[in-house]
Amino acid sequence: NTLDRCTARQQLGIDEGCFVYLFFGNVRPYKGLETLLEVFGRLPGTELRLLLAAKIYSDYGERFVEAARQADSRVLVHPSRFFANEEFQRFFNAADVAVLPFLDVLTSGSAITALSFGVPVIVPGVGCLPELVDDPAGIVYDQQQPDALYHAMRAMQERDLGPARRRAYQ
């Protein structure tokens, strides 16, 4: 991990004043990415960015990447079949928060990686995620509640991310 936030954002073409939500991982139906695109599209703010580091392995992934590119000009899509370990730092260091809106999951390598970079996370209360994420390291939302992801994403914009980053890293 050798890139600072400013350099990571410069490499990705993201202004320093932006608030960046990151999804990093495989594009699969159970990841809830259609919901993420829909919710992000409703968030107000020209300074918001949704950074998608999307690992694609299928026609489903290809279709999602195309839909994401057309969804909102604030969405930045970086698709690949493989991200080398040294590339992870660019995405995680550019992010303010990782959003992993899984519909169903037992565990998440993306959540663990985000926390190891000191990036707070927004995750649903499924699988082991509620045990992995505590306050202030992130927000665990109830996906059964209407607009829970939307409210979690808005709430994270209002947080002091300094303590959240420290707790995430711990």
Side-chain angles (χ1 to χ4, degrees):
N1 189 11
T2 59
L3 287 181
D4 63 27
R5 176 186 173 96
C6 184
T7 303
R9 286 189 172 204
Q10 284 175 349
Q11 289 181 3
L12 293 168
I14 299 171
D15 290 337
E16 189 58 36
C18 289
F19 188 94
V20 179
Y21 296 99
L22 169 68
F23 173 86
F24 184 97
N26 298 325
V27 175
R28 307 228 195 237
Y30 72 90
K31 300 282 183 149
L33 294 172
E34 288 85 0
T35 300
L36 178 58
L37 277 181
E38 184 273 322
V39 168
F40 181 77
R42 291 190 290 130
L43 291 172
T46 57
E47 77 291 349
L48 300 181
R49 298 293 178 272
L50 175 58
L51 177 59
L52 300 171
K55 294 182 187 179
I56 52 173
Y57 298 99
S58 65
D59 290 340
Y60 171 81
E62 295 285 346
R63 287 190 304 273
F64 172 78
V65 163
E66 187 57 35
R69 285 186 169 137
Q70 295 177 16
D72 188 316
S73 62
R74 302 173 300 164
V75 176
L76 309 172
V77 185
H78 294 267
S80 181
R81 287 188 60 81
F82 174 78
F83 290 105
N85 287 344
E86 58 271 8
E87 292 179 272
F88 285 37
Q89 65 179 327
R90 181 177 312 119
F91 298 108
F92 286 101
N93 289 337
D96 289 292
V97 61
V99 184
L100 306 166
F102 306 128
L103 302 176
D104 189 27
V105 69
L106 295 175
T107 188
S108 170
S110 296
I112 293 167
T113 302
L115 295 170
S116 73
F117 275 92
V119 176
V121 296
I122 298 172
V123 295
V126 297
C128 76
L129 297 176
E131 296 171 26
L132 182 65
V133 179
D134 62 5
D135 189 36
I139 295 175
V140 178
Y141 66 93
D142 180 352
Q143 62 190 179
Q144 303 305 314
Q145 296 299 314
D147 280 336
L149 178 58
Y150 177 88
H151 294 299
M153 291 174 76
R154 289 291 305 259
M156 197 58 89
Q157 291 177 45
E158 303 302 319
R159 277 201 178 173
D160 178 355
L161 292 181
R165 286 187 180 106
R166 287 188 292 279
R167 180 64 181 151
Y169 187 75
Q170 288 173 348

